[in-house]
Amino acid sequence: MPDVPDVILSETRNPAPALAARAARTGSSPVRDILALTARPEVISFAGGLPAPELFDAAGMADAFRHVLAKAPRRVLQYSTTEGDPALRAAVAARYSTRGLPTEADDLLVTTGSQQGLSLLATALLEPGDVVLVEDPCYLAALQIFSFAGARVVPVPTDDGGLDPAALDEIAARERPKLLYVIPTFQNPTGRTLSAERRAAVAEVAARRGLWIAEDDPYGELRFEGEPAPWVAAFPGAEDRTALLGSFSKVMAPGLRLGTVRAPAALRRACAIAKQAADLHTSTVDQAAAARYLAVTDLDGHLARVRDAYRARRDALIDGLPAALPEGSRWNRPAGGMFVWATLPPGYDAAALLPEVVRHDVAYVPGAPFFAGTPDPTAARLSFVTHAPEEIREGLGRLRKALEGARRPG
């Protein structure tokens, strides 16, 4: 190639076009940013919702992968159908049906994690400017997904019992939304659970006001106490308008990146087309291994062990919070899941305090970024599942020392 004089290059070179507006308006996840800051092994982090790796059934998963690679290598290493492995869908459908939600394999689409399921729903349902209603506070990644879709996100007030159905009805009448996104059981970030009465009310509002429901259920099988309420999808009025998102991340392993969408036929087909455009299909070998694992493993027995461990960790966190947090703080006691939601006394700022907390080799996630409406600067999310009880107690001791000298702003 002949040499080109620098002066010619400078005269003809133009800047690359700008990023799409959706990329510019959507920020990085504050949780991911905090995890990067707290990656040092000496940090006891209550920040990330990371399942305890020592509780993964690594041996059982290894056996499942060995089996499918030995018995059917040509199939499991090949391209596959978009809808997903039939055996895996049948196993998930059977679990739903056993737990009171009649489901067929063909009702399900396998996704690359339930996060992709929500992204596919946004692609299939939302036009720029469409209104999406969310719990306030809300799962952070859902806010990112709706921002990328160009939706207008409107918060719905919550209380200690979760989403307020009366407020939902009032806002739906005013805003004419297309979609409601909700985590009814052990919500992220608050750990709250909607009662059966509130779930029925949510279904009735959705039917009367004419909106879709995205019901996210990544934590439902991590119940430590009490009886489960039916899915929103099971209530009258919600059957034809609810997409139920499921995940293997909390019951098997997040590294599998496997989830499902259970949705009415027309919406499920639209999501399958969106998935073809995104990644053709979810990993064939991972699906086959998961199906094998479910076929030969006592998953309920495994989950019982996980729940026992997580219950002890929740109790260690709850028992230690009175000494760790300033007088006047509040927190809940979730009946399952992974998170406790705490608020410091008025005048404290959880985000402003975080650098000092991290200097003491402990961390939490400030609550403010989870709000689609007016944020609460005193709020914080603490995850109790990653560390054993003795580490939790040590972490709370560090947190107490970090907060002891903190002064309220102003």
Side-chain angles (χ1 to χ4, degrees), residues 67 105 156 200 259 274 282 305 407:
H67 177 87
V156 178
T282 295
R305 293 186 289 275
R407 296 188 177 183

Side-chain angles (χ1 to χ4, degrees), residues 19-324:
L19 297 176
R22 59 181 172 270
R25 69 171 174 258
T26 305
S28 175
S29 166
V31 175
R32 294 293 168 183
D33 295 342
I34 290 170
L35 290 179
L37 292 174
T38 61
R40 293 178 287 117
E42 63 270 23
V43 175
I44 296 176
S45 178
F46 302 119
L50 304 178
E54 69 273 16
L55 298 177
F56 297 155
D57 184 7
M61 290 304 308
D63 286 344
F65 275 95
R66 278 194 293 267
H67 177 87
V68 299
L69 286 168
K71 296 296 184 181
R74 294 185 179 183
R75 177 178 68 85
V76 304
L77 296 176
Q78 184 58 277
Y79 286 115
S80 186
T81 60
T82 302
E83 289 74 15
D85 186 303
L88 181 59
R89 286 187 287 143
V92 174
R95 289 187 69 81
Y96 277 139
S97 299
T98 299
R99 294 169 62 198
L101 186 65
T103 304
E104 300 292 335
D106 287 344
D107 296 330
L108 299 168
L109 171 69
V110 177
T111 59
T112 306
S114 63
Q115 183 102 342
Q116 186 192 47
L118 186 57
S119 181
L120 296 176
L121 288 172
T123 299
L125 288 174
L126 299 177
E127 304 284 358
D130 280 344
V131 174
V132 176
L133 303 186
V134 301
E135 302 160 295
D136 205 30
C138 175
Y139 175 46
L140 272 174
L143 297 178
Q144 285 184 306
I145 287 170
F146 300 141
S147 174
F148 263 107
R152 184 165 66 88
V153 177
V154 175
V156 178
T158 62
D159 56 24
D160 290 344
L163 187 78
D164 180 348
L168 171 66
D169 189 35
E170 178 184 343
I171 294 169
R174 182 179 71 243
E175 300 289 348
R176 301 182 63 84
K178 182 175 283 187
L179 175 67
L180 166 68
Y181 172 72
V182 61
I183 306 177
T185 307
F186 315 134
Q187 193 241 14
N188 182 358
T190 66
R192 298 165 179 163
T193 295
L194 281 179
S195 66
E197 291 75 17
R198 289 199 181 193
R199 295 174 193 230
V202 166
E204 190 275 330
V205 170
R208 182 160 44 82
R209 299 297 182 188
L211 60 144
W212 288 97
I213 302 171
E215 179 180 9
D216 204 352
D217 185 39
Y219 313 107
E221 294 199 86
L222 299 180
R223 175 173 290 278
F224 314 146
E225 56 201 38
E227 293 299 319
W231 284 282
V232 174
F235 284 91
E239 310 97 321
D240 64 344
R241 64 187 63 248
T242 301
L244 176 60
L245 299 165
S247 174
F248 289 91
S249 293
K250 311 305 185 294
V251 300
M252 289 168 62
L256 287 172
R257 304 313 303 133
L258 288 174
T260 56
V261 176
R262 179 191 183 276
L267 177 56
R268 189 175 64 254
R269 284 194 295 270
C271 288
I273 294 170
K275 183 170 174 60
Q276 290 169 3
D279 65 359
L280 297 182
H281 64 83
T282 295
S283 166
T284 311
V285 66
D286 288 355
Q287 291 187 71
R292 169 67 182 179
Y293 182 86
L294 291 172
V296 301
T297 303
D298 178 10
L299 180 60
D300 291 326
H302 170 68
L303 283 172
R305 293 186 289 275
V306 172
R307 286 191 290 262
D308 286 345
Y310 286 177
R311 181 188 300 109
R313 297 172 188 212
R314 178 207 58 184
D315 292 346
L317 181 66
I318 295 295
D319 291 347
L321 284 177

